[in-house]
Amino acid sequence: MPIHIGAALLGHLSIQTTRGYVAVFDEDVIRHYQAHLHQRRQVRPSEEYRDATEQEWTEFEEHFDRRKVELGSCGRPYGTPCQHEHACIRCPMLHVNPKMLARLSELEADLLQRRTQAEAEGWIGEIEGIDLTLTFLRAKRDETQRRAQRPAVHLGIPARRRPQESE
């Protein structure tokens, strides 16, 4: 999302400095956005910015552990429900691990075999469902192959801030 739209959604009134579309955020845009966030935080209740408790942090970390599935991981945001709890191949939030490309080929072969049987039996609804799944599977494979060709960007692992002990 362009930053000027994000700023408008957040209630920023003067967004002229972020109107231009840039391929790389220059320091002025970043500084302006950080100033906007700082100003916005000043009007929010301070208790919203407290350090996370041990229980909250553990729950947050466990969310991402539970998102790991056979083909990769589910990219749904923290705290949101998912109608595809096991990240089925049709789910747009499934991010396939490039190491699982061979498994996608196995799944495709199985679906093609099931489609042949469905045609022989005259199961029209089954054929439509399999065709839809094949479409998603092939799109996931193409996307994963494209991602695998791009070099990885290592952002580092953020360190958790420990709650400060109150005196």
Side-chain angles (χ1 to χ4, degrees):
M1 169 184 325
I3 196 165
H4 75 278
I5 293 173
L9 290 173
L10 292 172
H12 195 320
L13 299 177
S14 174
I15 57 174
Q16 296 306 317
T17 58
T18 60
R19 280 277 175 203
Y21 290 91
V22 292
V24 177
F25 287 158
D26 61 27
E27 289 183 35
D28 290 338
V29 174
I30 294 170
R31 198 171 28 257
H32 177 78
Y33 188 67
Q34 288 173 336
H36 164 73
L37 290 177
H38 178 73
Q39 181 183 24
R40 188 81 174 142
R41 287 182 177 134
Q42 297 303 312
V43 298
R44 303 292 306 165
S46 61
E47 57 271 7
E48 289 184 6
Y49 299 103
R50 65 173 173 72
D51 288 331
T53 65
E54 194 67 36
Q55 179 182 357
E56 290 169 331
W57 188 255
T58 300
E59 179 185 316
F60 180 75
E61 287 177 327
E62 287 174 356
H63 163 84
F64 297 100
D65 289 338
R66 286 192 301 271
R67 301 288 61 87
K68 294 176 185 173
V69 294
E70 176 192 13
L71 294 174
S73 63
C74 178
R76 70 182 171 98
Y78 172 71
T80 59
C82 182
Q83 63 188 22
H84 308 103
E85 190 58 41
H86 299 288
C88 74
I89 199 71
R90 293 184 186 182
C91 181
M93 301 307 290
L94 172 63
H95 301 290
V96 177
N97 183 331
K99 295 176 184 175
M100 298 306 289
L101 285 170
R103 179 69 175 125
L104 287 181
S105 297
E106 291 174 18
L107 291 172
E108 182 179 28
D110 181 57
L111 286 167
L112 291 170
Q113 184 180 13
R114 287 178 46 208
R115 190 182 193 291
T116 302
Q117 180 184 1
E119 284 176 339
E121 299 291 337
W123 300 332
I124 306 297
E126 188 73 11
I127 293 169
E128 290 174 355
I130 291 171
D131 286 345
L132 182 61
T133 302
L134 281 167
T135 300
F136 278 94
L137 182 142
R138 290 169 179 153
K140 292 281 184 198
R141 181 178 47 218
D142 293 346
E143 172 191 340
T144 303
Q145 287 171 336
R146 275 193 306 278
R147 277 189 305 132
Q149 292 174 354
R150 289 185 288 197
V153 176
H154 298 285
L155 301 175
I157 305 287
R160 178 176 176 228
R161 292 185 310 167
R162 294 286 174 190
Q164 296 177 1
E165 306 233 355
S166 51
E167 298 177 37

